[in-house]
Each structure stands twice: as C-alpha cells, then as structure tokens.
Amino acid sequence: MRRTRSVVSVALTALMLAGCGGGGSPDAKEGDKGSVTPSAASPGPKGPSVLLTVPSGYDPKRGWQHTLDWMPEDYSAQPLVAVGTHSDTVAYVDTAEDGYVVQVRDASTGTVRFTSRPWDPPAPMEGNGLLGHSVELPSVTTTVQDGREYVVLWAHGETGRDALNKGKQSVRLLVFPADASGGAVAPTREIDIPVDVLALGRKHLQVADWGAGLEVHWESKNTEKKAVAVDVATGTLDRCADACSQGIGRLRTDQGWIVSDYSQDSVSMPGGRDIRDAAPPGATYPRDEGSNSFVGVTGGRLLTRWGAESGTLTAVHDSDSGKLVTSVACDDPRGTEAVASPDGRFVAVGTVAFDLQQRNGFCLEAGEEREANVYIWSIADGGTAFGTLDDTRYDKERTAEVDLSTGTPRLLPEGTRVPDLTLKNTGVFLTPNSTGGLLISALRTK
C-alpha cells in the first residue's frame, strides 16, 4: 500500500481514546472493532458506555458510540465524520487491514448500513511543506443530487511520483449511494480532480455540498482560489473558469456560478444578476462598488454583509434568484462559517442567526448586555442552536444554546458538550482525545 500502509499501521498502534476500555470502540462487545473488517449490516450497539454532559434536549444514555482509535494525534483538519440529512445516517472514515473504509450507520439505532471495500488512496503529499508534521488522512462528506443522497469518501494526494518523475496533485472521490447495504461495497464511481493546493486544512481545501451539489474548492499555489462542481452520477466536472477569472467561485447554481471578486469580496450573481438589486432595507449606498461582501453559503442560501447607518446588515438570499429572504442589523457581527438546520428553516453564520420561516434575525455578539460572543456551530430542527463563546469549533470550554424563537442565548454548565452535527432526532458529538483518537457519540433527542 505504499506510504498509506505505513500511516495506517503507525496510527493503529496504541492510539486509544482514554476511558474507553482496552482498545476498539465502546460498543466493541457488539462485534464492532475500531479497525473494522468490512461485513454485512450488523445489529446496533446497546448504548453509550462513555456518558457525556450534553444539553438537556439530548439523552446521554440513548444512542450509540464508536471510537476511531486509529487516528494519530496530528492530522490535517479535514472532517472524518459526516451526516446524511436525507437518509438519516452517520458516515465516518475507519480502517481495515488493507486500507481505509467508509462506514455508514443508521443515526437513530447505530445499525451499520454498509461498509465500503478497503481503499488505498493517493499517497499523502511529502517534501513540499504542505503538511509539516501532520498526517494527511482521507475524509468523508455527503451530497444530494437529483433527490438522491450519496456518501463520498475522498482524499487529497499525489499520483505518479517515482525516482524519476514528479507526482501530480489530485483529489480523488469515491462515490457510494447512501442507501447501499452490506460489506465490501464498491463505489459506483471514482473521480479524479487535478488540483494545485497551496496548503492543507479546511480553509485551503474543501469538498462539500453547500446546497447545490458536490463541489471542490481550493486555494492554489499562485494564490488563486479555484472551484469545481462535480456531477457524482456521471463524473462530469464544471470548472469555474471564465466566471472566476477575476474572482472566487462560491457556489454553482442552476443559473451559473456565484462569484465574489478578489479586491473587495463583493458578490456577483449568475445570469448577469446584480446582488445590489437585492440590497436589504437600510443598506447604505447599495449601488456603490464594494457595497456588499460575501459571508458564506449553506443549504442553498447565500449570506452577505452590507454597511448601514447603524451597525452592519447580514442578509440571506436565495442562491438561484438572488432574491432577499431576510436580514438583520447587528453592531459587530463576527464569524464566517455558515450552518443550517437539517430541514433548512434555520441558518446562522458566526454570531448571527435566522428563522427563515418567520423572517427573523438575531444578533449574538458581545455588547452592552452580553459579556461574550456566541458563535453558532450547529442548529437542530425546531430552532435550538448550539455554539461556543470562542470562534474555534473545538474550543468548547464554555458553550451555549440559543432558542431561535426568541434569539435568547443560555450559558450551559461548564463542561457541557454541544453537537457538532445535527439530524432529525439525533445529535452527533465528536470528542477528540489529546493523544489521538476520536469518540463519535450519536445521542437521541428526548
């Protein structure tokens, strides 16, 4: 397995999550080891054996857990766990004797839906300053296309390198239908995308579905930012080329690419639409160049910011039409990571959150009545948002929940973990260990 085998074998030696017993996952008694052998669907685990302190809406004793105890302490910050909101599943990258696998479980019961056949991904990048001392691992995401959900196991690496030839960077995607079943499942399609990634991490390389299908975004060696939309059914690639000659591709819609320019980050819409025609009420000088800025995309919604007489307006637009959905003025909005509830009704970006059905927006930054900012990282159906008092997702020393019917945040008891991912009746909590390993806890709502 070239260099991949050595990474897996090193990672598998004695990397074990503290408090989880003698190796493997907490539910190992059900025959589900941390290093899996692909097999047919198995019964779900009996329940969590590591009890977490969680918000009152979740039951720490109802659900299931699995430990990725093979993970090294230092790895590039790409997601190893994803959820399927259509199929109500949790997918994660695990290891088998012959390589990496993706395993998919029913979110509510923990029953294994399917395990992929082992995969030897492109060799991790070496000797070019991309990684430093961290290990580059395969990642997983989900996407919806034409009403069908897919699980995508992917890796960034190098192909064709030997003593004579330089290798070429690529992102390789393995596509699986989310409704697959059984063990050693083969991908329906394998797709290679040539890239020239400047550095690793979420900011420099992203593979995700932001509400319009699967896309690959990266910051290239010449400091340009590039984007490709992927048809996972056919393997066809739509590169943001001419549309992105002077800007950054943000989202490929049915009408074309949403692009923000390099100079001021102002947004242009597909089909020649001008986002300034959809300026929120109260925006100052909406017709001026650079009067708006891109903030994020999630669930098929575009979020922008605008100057106002008092504070800053954050606006939500429909991605296809550019039409304004709602907006709110806040004194000092912070953060750029956009998230949505599974049903799409609620969205947030940093310290600003919205109920799109009621067209209400809420400001969660520090001010006269609030000591600290609340950064939203996940939202459950029903409108309970979860966040931290710091702008780092994994710095969870102090956490809060926000009722988006009122916009009122509530500080949670010290040590309370909040869900990293949410599904209809489940919250997924990711607990890393300082010496390696990741505990996945899927807990039911009460």
Side-chain angles (χ1 to χ4, degrees), residues 338-349:
V339 294
S341 59
D343 62 7
R345 172 176 169 176
F346 304 93
V347 300
V349 58

Side-chain angles (χ1 to χ4, degrees), residues 4 81 97 395:
T4 304
V81 181
E97 203 173 293
D395 183 4

Side-chain angles (χ1 to χ4, degrees), residues 227-265:
V228 174
V230 183
D231 186 318
V232 293
T234 66
T236 303
L237 305 180
D238 181 351
R239 299 181 181 275
C240 187
D242 293 341
C244 292
S245 59
Q246 299 298 320
I248 304 168
R250 301 296 189 177
L251 187 72
R252 175 64 168 87
T253 74
D254 290 341
Q255 306 300 317
W257 284 92
I258 295 174
V259 177
S260 63
D261 64 40
Y262 280 118
S263 59
Q264 298 181 6
D265 220 18

